[in-house]
Amino acid sequence: MANLKDLKTRIESVKSTRKITSAMKMVAAAKLRRAQDAAENARGYSERMSRMLGSLAESFAGIEGGPKLFAGTGSDKTHLVVAFTADRGLCGGFNGSIVRETRKIVRELKSEGKAVKVLFVGRKAADVLKRELGDSVVDIITGIAGKKGIAFVEAQNVSLRIREMFEAGEFDVCSIVFNKFQSAMTQTVTRQQLIPFVGEKSEKPANDDKKSVPDSGPKAAYIFEPEEDEILADLLPKNLSVQIFQAMLESSASEHGSRMTAMDSATRNAGDMIDGLTLTYNRTRQAYITKELIEIISGAEAL
Amino acid sequence: MSDSTVAEMVEFELVAPERLVQSKSVGMVVVPCTEGDIGVLPGHAPLIGTVRPGVVDIHENGKVTDRVFVSGGFVEVTPDRCTLLAEEAIAVADITRENADARLAQAQGLLEKAKSEVEKSRATAAVEMAEAMLAALGAGAQQH
């Protein structure tokens, strides 16, 4: 039988675990609210930019060539996959689902005979996949989330890095994998192609009518000022940064949501465990007292 | 759509990466584009253009009702809508001289320290922006 002291320490330790998880839940909830606002506010910008780029693409469709970021390199031999995860764990299935999806994509592409490179944003997926992917890992970018959330500069840096690699001819197609925030309970793993630009495919149905982009109505021929290709040359890198920024924000909101849910159930589990342990403790204590009483009584009777 | 039925207002939207800054119906918007300022009235021909650092004037009932400083970006115009995607947007009233001066000094410092081409172009953009901010401030002061 477990002795009383052991049980006591056990209960104490579960209690302090519960304190920690419930504090983490609180923190995650506070951060979630901010991250969620940021992600939802930024959706308008990235949606409008996609739309603008879409109308540009339409009028550009007939023209030969165009910037590489737009038209691609003409081959699809080498793929770059950018996976967004958190730097820290203890957030349920958040990192795991990205790891699984990345692994799946890499296998798929490799079985099609394509070369794959992987860029990790966030430490967690890298920890798991680093050994498995070996040389395919280009870089691991960590520490993007600052005290006040994610700054646009971080996205610009990542996008610059990707652009430099692209211009050096290190890959042909770039796609990102991230958790898209839906609610604190649900996040969907989303894969989105960034280079070359794909129009409507990346679009998602606008759900909340207040922030959704109004229809642009019948397509009209746009005047461009300056010329199409100049705007495109300006807009494409910007769009890349914006889409990456959006992915970062969605990912961070998902992370906090996921952590909140995970810590909530951890807190609840700890509570259940404490109840169970307390019951055992009380039973043991009672049995102990009974045993002592019997000893005393039988001792007295023997006299 | 014939000219007589053209909407009397322009739906103006000013969007920054972090948030939707403004969204309202206005009479006219003047946008500082790279190739000159563009006044957008209802029924404007569809246009896509790039925006330079400068001040956006929002006109209602023939008067300037709001002035917002933008640090550059893109503008999309359709007959009834004007969408401005700005990297940064600050109401002119919220810009203080100290703030703008500090930005300029910081940007110039960055420019001096910049080593790579990228850093240099980024710093140059920052300097241009701070200068445009100061200019906006100057223009604002003259008006009042």
Side-chain angles (χ1 to χ4, degrees), chain B:
Chain B
M1 207 189 273
S2 73
D3 279 357
S4 58
T5 58
V6 161
E8 282 168 17
M9 299 293 248
V10 192
E11 286 297 324
F12 175 64
E13 283 181 324
L14 177 56
V15 201
E18 288 86 12
R19 72 210 158 92
L20 183 65
V21 183
Q22 259 189 11
S23 171
K24 59 177 175 184
S25 294
V26 297
M28 178 170 88
V29 197
V30 179
V31 183
C33 284
T34 37
E35 306 203 334
D37 291 6
I38 294 181
V40 180
L41 283 161
H44 194 285
L47 172 139
I48 291 180
T50 48
V51 178
R52 62 164 206 273
V55 176
V56 179
D57 282 336
I58 296 157
H59 295 250
E60 274 169 293
N61 304 324
K63 271 180 284 183
V64 179
T65 50
D66 210 350
R67 292 164 58 82
V68 185
F69 176 82
V70 292
S71 65
F74 303 91
V75 65
E76 184 193 19
V77 182
T78 62
D80 51 1
R81 209 156 37 77
C82 173
T83 312
L84 181 60
L85 299 179
E87 276 134 59
E88 207 183 326
I90 313 163
V92 169
D94 293 342
I95 304 177
T96 58
R97 181 157 289 275
E98 299 87 63
N99 197 332
D101 278 335
R103 269 183 106 124
L104 184 61
Q106 195 195 1
Q108 278 164 343
L110 278 179
L111 186 60
E112 273 167 32
K113 271 188 279 175
K115 289 185 198 85
S116 65
E117 280 302 307
V118 182
E119 278 177 23
K120 226 173 246 173
S121 68
R122 224 180 246 184
T124 317
V127 170
E128 271 169 23
M129 192 191 137
E131 275 167 357
M133 236 168 153
L134 280 170
L137 213 56
Q142 274 164 20
Q143 271 187 2
H144 295 300

Side-chain angles (χ1 to χ4, degrees), chain A residues 112-218:
Chain A
E112 287 167 22
K114 284 167 183 144
V116 188
K117 289 179 177 176
V118 188
L119 178 67
F120 288 113
V121 179
R123 198 167 53 85
K124 272 293 163 185
D127 285 350
V128 183
L129 291 171
K130 201 158 46 184
R131 193 168 311 146
E132 191 179 322
L133 298 174
D135 292 340
S136 308
V137 179
V138 183
D139 201 2
I140 301 158
I141 298 165
T142 55
I144 52 158
K147 275 243 164 64
K148 283 185 181 164
I150 295 165
F152 190 56
V153 184
E154 299 291 346
Q156 282 177 321
N157 289 337
V158 175
S159 124
L160 186 72
R161 179 76 206 273
I162 293 173
R163 240 160 46 228
E164 276 170 359
M165 283 176 63
F166 185 68
E167 255 132 51
E170 288 179 38
F171 67 89
D172 304 307
V173 181
C174 172
S175 43
I176 53 174
V177 185
F178 64 99
N179 272 306
K180 190 171 183 64
F181 182 79
Q182 269 167 348
S183 70
M185 306 286 281
T186 33
Q187 299 87 30
T188 31
V189 176
T190 312
R191 182 184 176 188
Q192 186 185 346
Q193 183 175 325
L194 290 185
I195 305 171
F197 174 75
V198 276
E200 295 306 298
K201 226 175 108 191
S202 59
E203 287 282 274
K204 50 192 176 298
N207 35 16
D208 53 343
D209 36 15
K210 211 183 98 204
K211 278 172 192 153
S212 76
V213 183
D215 256 353
S216 41

